[in-house]
Amino acid sequence: MDKLAPFDRLDAAAWRDRDLASVWHPCTQMKEHPGTLPLVPIRRGRGAWLEGVDGKRYLDAVSSWWTNLFGHGEPRIAEAIGAQARELEHVIYAGFSHAPGLALAEALLALAPPGLSRVFYADNGSAAIEVALKMSFHSHLNRGDAQRTRFIALGNGYHGETIGALSMGDIPLYRRVYAPLLLEPIFASSPDAYDAAPGETAEACALRRADELAAILEAHAGTVCALVLEPLVQCAGGMRMFHPAYLRRARELCDAHGVHLIADEIAVGFGRTGTMFACEQAAVSPDFLCLSKGLTGGFLPMSAVLTTAHVYEAFLDDSRERAFLHSHSYTGNPLGCAAALATLSIFESDDTLARNRITAARMAELAAPLATHPNVAQVRQTGMILAIELVADRRTRQPFPASDRRGLRAYRHALERGVVLRPLGDILYWMPPYCVGEEELALLADVTTTAMQEACRP
């Protein structure tokens, strides 16, 4: 019996009732459904658009949690998954190999910053961070450096929801409740340009914060495994952005202190910042490059951790205890690998990065008038990521009281107008699929303008 068939006959109200009777949705206070937050049943997606069961269309301005690159239902990725499913859907990856896994590893290493030479697959972004943390610690240990048990992470950072990944984050909303369970990293001040002193450039701010990082590394010399950071954009922290100079200096400092650099490019990789990987803009190579989200074009959950020969060789030994025994049941899943290979092929065939530069420039033009709004502290952009910071007082940057939930007002208004504009607190942002067109961008700008007006009214 086809268990999906009956849903074709459900209207939106009946769908919501059934859903709320059985499903627990992520990142949601479920008590807010169905009142404060509308639950939106989606039937299908095409291009930059989602279609509800009631036929209403929604522009996916946030790429479905930053995963979708080329649009919903992209036929080349869908076909690649289907073809692979007919040959091999999955096989244990311990002691076995398959063509999609090998081809993807070779393709990723060919694109990645120089010096990365090994690929370890996992299931999602949080898992990729867990892999990198464990590999870093274990490789130091295997080389006889048992005192290295600490990590440094950036203030305002976010790296996922599993215990190790959550430990590296500094956003109280996610961290506070679970604090008794978490590791305790050393938090270095974010180089976020929004916090620059009056008259200070973004580069000068980044270098000042790098000097603070230098002092931390000196104070904890010989005890730190790795520095974990999101290159250029701290996404869940409010799309806060910083100058590449910080990455360059961080790489130098890590080298000087024998510390690994873990680049969390889960959200910012694959063209989001204007280059294939954000690290390229600082001309640095991390010791670990964590990838997910756009890796499969938004079709399937998968992640990859790229690392160096130096890290890999620390695990080669006759002792099983010195091996990296971390595993996931679906490691190297052939369907995910096929989707990822199709994604990389589209980058090449469509000259995606060049197109993105044109789209990003148009986004900047459309957003420029928003910067003069009396309740906008800053409009900032890195590549295909643009953020608008709403505040109560533009002059002092005094935020609205959190209890006002101004961002929620904007979200509800935009949803009514057919745009998914999911805020981060009171920060509205655009991170659309790369296929977004001129008319869709114009709609996005128009709806954002009215959503801001709705959010900031008394």
Side-chain angles (χ1 to χ4, degrees):
M1 179 181 178
D2 185 354
K3 297 205 178 280
L4 292 180
F7 290 94
D8 294 338
R9 298 189 293 272
L10 285 181
D11 61 21
W15 188 306
R16 291 188 188 99
D17 288 344
R18 286 181 59 175
D19 184 288
L20 295 175
S22 58
V23 178
W24 192 340
H25 289 268
C27 204
T28 300
Q29 172 49 265
M30 291 300 294
K31 192 174 182 180
E32 293 181 331
H33 289 318
T36 307
L37 283 171
L39 183 68
V40 185
I42 296 298
R43 174 185 288 121
R44 65 173 59 89
R46 292 293 183 272
W49 294 88
L50 298 166
E51 181 184 321
V53 298
D54 57 2
K56 184 172 181 178
R57 298 171 77 230
Y58 301 90
L59 179 63
D60 188 357
V62 300
S63 295
S64 290
W65 256 342
W66 322 337
T67 63
N68 193 284
L69 299 187
F70 303 113
H72 297 280
E74 216 302 326
R76 289 168 288 185
I77 301 177
E79 289 168 7
I81 294 170
Q84 181 59 46
R86 289 187 289 273
E87 296 298 322
L88 176 67
E89 79 298 337
H90 188 62
V91 64
I92 182 175
Y93 212 52
F96 290 81
S97 180
H98 50 71
L102 175 55
L104 178 59
E106 292 176 341
L108 288 173
L109 293 174
L111 289 171
L116 298 169
S117 64
R118 295 284 171 171
V119 178
F120 190 98
Y121 295 121
D123 292 0
N124 55 62
S126 295
I129 297 297
E130 300 283 347
V131 166
L133 296 176
K134 290 173 67 176
M135 272 188 183
S136 175
F137 162 77
H138 199 168
S139 66
H140 284 300
L141 182 66
N142 281 355
R143 293 188 182 277
D145 208 348
Q147 301 304 308
R148 293 187 184 271
T149 60
R150 303 294 303 277
F151 293 91
I152 299 175
L154 297 188
N156 194 53
Y158 175 87
H159 301 282
E161 295 295 339
T162 51
I163 293 298
L166 185 60
S167 296
M168 299 301 117
D170 185 45
I171 300 176
L173 178 64
Y174 305 114
R175 181 184 178 88
R176 187 185 301 114
V177 172
Y178 304 104
L181 308 178
L182 303 181
L183 302 172
E184 295 185 5
I186 304 156
F187 285 110
S189 296
S190 169
D192 170 19
Y194 187 77
D195 291 334
E200 186 179 41
T201 65
E203 182 175 9
C205 177
L207 292 174
R208 174 167 56 85
R209 294 303 194 191
D211 287 342
E212 296 175 17
L213 174 63
I216 291 172
L217 284 164
E218 189 66 36
H220 297 275
T223 67
V224 175
C225 295
L227 166 65
V228 188
L229 52 73
E230 302 159 89
L232 302 188
V233 185
Q234 294 183 301
C235 292
M239 300 298 170
R240 293 293 179 87
M241 302 174 184
F242 61 89
H243 194 278
Y246 187 87
L247 286 178
R248 287 194 289 271
R249 183 72 176 123
R251 176 71 275 179
E252 294 169 359
L253 291 168
C254 286
D255 287 343
H257 288 272
V259 169
H260 293 140
L261 177 60
I262 300 174
D264 175 353
E265 294 221 18
I266 291 161
V268 300
F270 298 106
R272 283 291 178 194
T273 66
T275 48
M276 181 62 81
F277 302 111
C279 285
E280 295 174 36
Q281 297 184 40
V284 301
S285 294
D287 299 286
F288 298 90
L289 180 65
C290 297
L291 304 172
S292 190
K293 290 190 182 291
L295 174 61
T296 66
F299 272 68
L300 289 170
M302 187 179 189
S303 64
V305 179
L306 280 58
T307 192
T308 65
H310 183 75
V311 170
Y312 173 76
E313 289 165 3
F315 292 87
L316 301 181
D317 190 84
D318 293 333
S319 168
R320 188 164 173 79
E321 286 72 22
R322 291 171 64 91
F324 190 64
L325 300 181
H326 185 104
S327 63
H328 296 269
S329 299
Y330 283 92
T331 293
N333 176 255
L335 303 180
C337 293
L341 285 166
T343 295
L344 296 183
S345 177
I346 292 171
F347 269 100
E348 183 176 2
S349 64
D350 292 7
D351 200 4
T352 299
L353 296 178
R355 173 175 174 167
N356 281 4
R357 286 191 286 271
I358 296 170
T359 304
R362 184 57 179 147
M363 288 168 60
E365 292 173 357
L366 290 168
L370 304 180
T372 63
H373 190 281
N375 294 108
V376 172
Q378 186 183 61
V379 173
R380 52 185 175 267
Q381 184 178 7
T382 300
M384 291 285 291
I385 306 172
L386 186 145
I388 304 135
E389 184 116 9
L390 301 183
V391 292
D393 188 322
R394 172 190 178 88
R395 181 181 58 84
T396 64
R397 291 186 168 181
Q398 175 67 33
F400 287 108
S403 58
D404 284 3
R405 305 194 69 183
R406 303 289 179 142
L408 177 61
R409 290 191 196 178
Y411 171 69
R412 289 174 59 90
H413 174 86
L415 208 58
E416 290 169 1
R417 296 279 305 276
V419 174
V420 180
L421 194 68
R422 186 182 175 96
L424 294 160
D426 291 339
I427 298 164
L428 310 182
Y429 69 90
W430 301 348
M431 199 190 286
Y434 302 160
C435 64
V436 67
E438 172 62 31
E439 290 185 6
E440 293 156 338
L441 287 173
L443 171 66
L444 177 56
D446 178 62
V447 171
T448 300
T449 301
T450 58
M452 286 168 45
Q453 294 167 350
E454 172 64 20
C456 297
R457 65 176 174 78

